[in-house]
Amino acid sequence: MSAVIISDTHFGLNSSTLSDPARVDQLMGEILEFGGGCDEVILLGDIFDFWRVRPECALRESVPLLKRLREEDLKIHYVVGNHDHHLVVQKQESDFMERVARGDLFPVYSPSLRWRQTINGLNIDMLYPTYQVRCSHRRVLFTHGHHLDGIQTFTMQMVGGIRQLYGEEILPADLEMMMAYVYESIYRSSYIGEMVSFEERIWKASSLLKRLTCGVFHDQRLASVQMQYEAIMRFIRDRNLGEVDCFIYGDTHRAGIFQRRGGPLAVNAGSFTREPGKGSRIELPDTYIILNDDGLALRQLGRREPVYLCELL
């Protein structure tokens, strides 16, 4: 296989560099040059931002990228993230109505979803929460990454405590139900601007708390691949995903690579998002991954040499 992996464009926020047709042309030129023979694009979640803008705005900004992907006749796999989690809820609601029509009125937890959806005239294979491929005889797992830390540690601890009272262990289904509730509450907020302000205050308070408890610069390392490696191993183990050779995700907007002896290669694809009016607060912006039988290359748009190059032996 030969694929390009793009994560966290957050279309709709006026901060995605891929909402500019010229940048899209530049990216497609690099894909043709460095990823010759590329036949697949994996969109690794948070491509649209349905939390903070109207859906039609997010879809409108995505037109330049999706139009070029359609022109190149590339197969698209879309692994849904947290900011576009509403797409998953829509799928679940559709499945529920089909069960109602058949008379199957019983609760169903789907640990893995896959469906076909048309967006801006482009047929896309949607997946949640993971997508797996084999490349160079290695098993590669893709996920957006928002499952790694759950929604809120305290909330998950509370649910875990309740489960323990009944002699049960916390399950992935618990996390999914809580995610759906929280994310849909944000999406359906009557005044989304108020939610954005609240979110920013939480991040500022969280940053301050980390500085007080962990040192001034510790919070800059928390989102690194190395710091998330244990969470990645738990994710693979808790979902019984078996042996994984390469784990590719996004979510934190921080590109990076890390591996421990005996464990999978973990790669964060980074993002194509910059905060409007504030410049880029991302250490390594505009990154993407090219994956083929020759190996994996983490690249930055406009940079000739890859940031990281690895053979999948």
Side-chain angles (χ1 to χ4, degrees):
M1 68 168 294
S2 180
V4 58
I5 297 101
I6 300 171
S7 182
D8 293 87
T9 58
H10 287 270
F11 284 126
L13 286 181
N14 297 318
S15 62
S16 172
T17 59
L18 290 186
S19 60
D20 179 4
R23 301 285 283 179
V24 173
D25 288 341
Q26 182 181 5
L27 174 62
M28 296 308 297
E30 291 191 9
I31 292 173
L32 292 173
E33 180 179 359
F34 303 121
C38 179
D39 54 12
E40 180 179 352
V41 173
I42 301 170
L43 302 176
L44 210 52
D46 285 4
I47 301 305
F48 305 109
D49 198 309
F50 292 146
W51 283 13
R52 290 174 279 187
V53 295
R54 293 181 180 276
E56 58 268 26
C57 296
L59 291 168
R60 189 180 303 118
E61 279 202 8
S62 71
V63 168
L65 176 62
L66 296 184
K67 181 180 178 182
R68 281 301 306 273
L69 295 181
R70 184 169 62 243
E71 291 173 352
E72 299 295 335
D73 196 28
L74 295 169
K75 187 173 182 60
I76 313 299
H77 285 96
Y78 192 127
V79 184
V80 182
N82 51 322
H83 282 248
D84 43 25
H85 188 268
H86 184 61
L87 296 171
V88 172
V89 175
Q90 286 182 316
K91 169 60 177 174
Q92 291 172 326
E93 290 175 345
S94 174
D95 287 349
F96 172 74
M97 294 309 298
E98 289 181 7
R99 295 201 309 273
V100 168
R102 296 193 304 267
D104 298 335
L105 302 180
F106 53 87
V108 175
Y109 164 63
S110 300
S112 181
L113 293 174
R114 181 167 187 161
W115 71 101
R116 175 63 65 89
Q117 189 159 343
T118 302
I119 301 177
N120 283 337
L122 186 64
N123 293 323
I124 300 176
D125 287 329
M126 311 292 292
L127 305 110
Y128 182 83
T130 62
Y131 172 49
Q132 299 180 35
V133 301
R134 294 199 69 85
C135 183
S136 188
H137 309 293
R138 293 290 181 262
R139 188 162 173 245
V140 184
L141 180 75
F142 301 91
T143 189
H144 176 63
H146 58 294
H147 290 81
L148 297 182
D149 296 320
I151 41 177
Q152 290 292 337
T153 302
F154 173 75
T155 310
M156 290 305 297
Q157 288 176 346
M158 182 173 63
V159 172
I162 294 173
R163 284 285 192 183
Q164 287 177 359
L165 290 176
Y166 289 91
E168 301 174 350
E169 61 178 336
I170 193 166
L171 302 172
D174 297 314
L175 178 59
E176 286 300 329
M177 287 188 289
M178 294 172 66
M179 280 182 167
Y181 177 79
V182 173
Y183 295 158
E184 282 300 287
S185 297
I186 295 173
Y187 173 77
R188 299 180 189 275
S189 174
S190 60
Y191 177 48
I192 202 69
E194 193 172 284
M195 191 65 221
V196 174
S197 298
F198 176 67
E199 182 187 28
E200 289 179 348
R201 288 197 297 270
I202 289 178
W203 277 109
K204 288 178 181 179
S206 175
S207 177
L208 177 61
L209 179 63
K210 290 172 187 174
R211 289 172 184 270
L212 289 174
T213 58
C214 304
V216 174
F217 298 107
H218 184 70
D219 62 311
Q220 299 297 319
R221 301 193 300 270
L222 280 177
S224 70
V225 181
Q226 181 177 354
M227 293 299 293
Q228 291 188 299
Y229 201 79
E230 288 300 326
I232 290 170
M233 297 300 293
R234 283 197 303 272
F235 179 86
I236 295 172
R237 182 178 63 251
D238 292 347
R239 285 159 179 78
N240 298 315
L241 296 172
E243 184 178 349
V244 174
D245 299 299
C246 184
F247 185 95
I248 300 178
Y249 71 110
D251 187 42
T252 64
H253 299 188
R254 293 190 177 185
I257 290 180
F258 182 75
Q259 185 175 24
R260 288 181 186 163
R261 183 180 296 275
L265 176 69
V267 188
N268 190 313
S271 79
F272 273 93
T273 302
R274 303 187 184 199
E275 294 194 23
K278 300 178 183 179
S280 174
R281 303 202 317 192
I282 302 172
E283 297 171 5
L284 192 65
D286 298 340
T287 54
Y288 63 98
I289 293 172
I290 290 179
L291 177 69
N292 54 38
D293 289 334
D294 293 330
L296 178 148
L298 176 62
R299 306 195 65 92
Q300 184 179 31
L301 191 65
R303 181 171 173 172
R304 297 293 304 176
E305 297 299 321
V307 178
Y308 185 89
L309 184 63
C310 173
E311 292 183 3
L312 296 177
L313 300 176

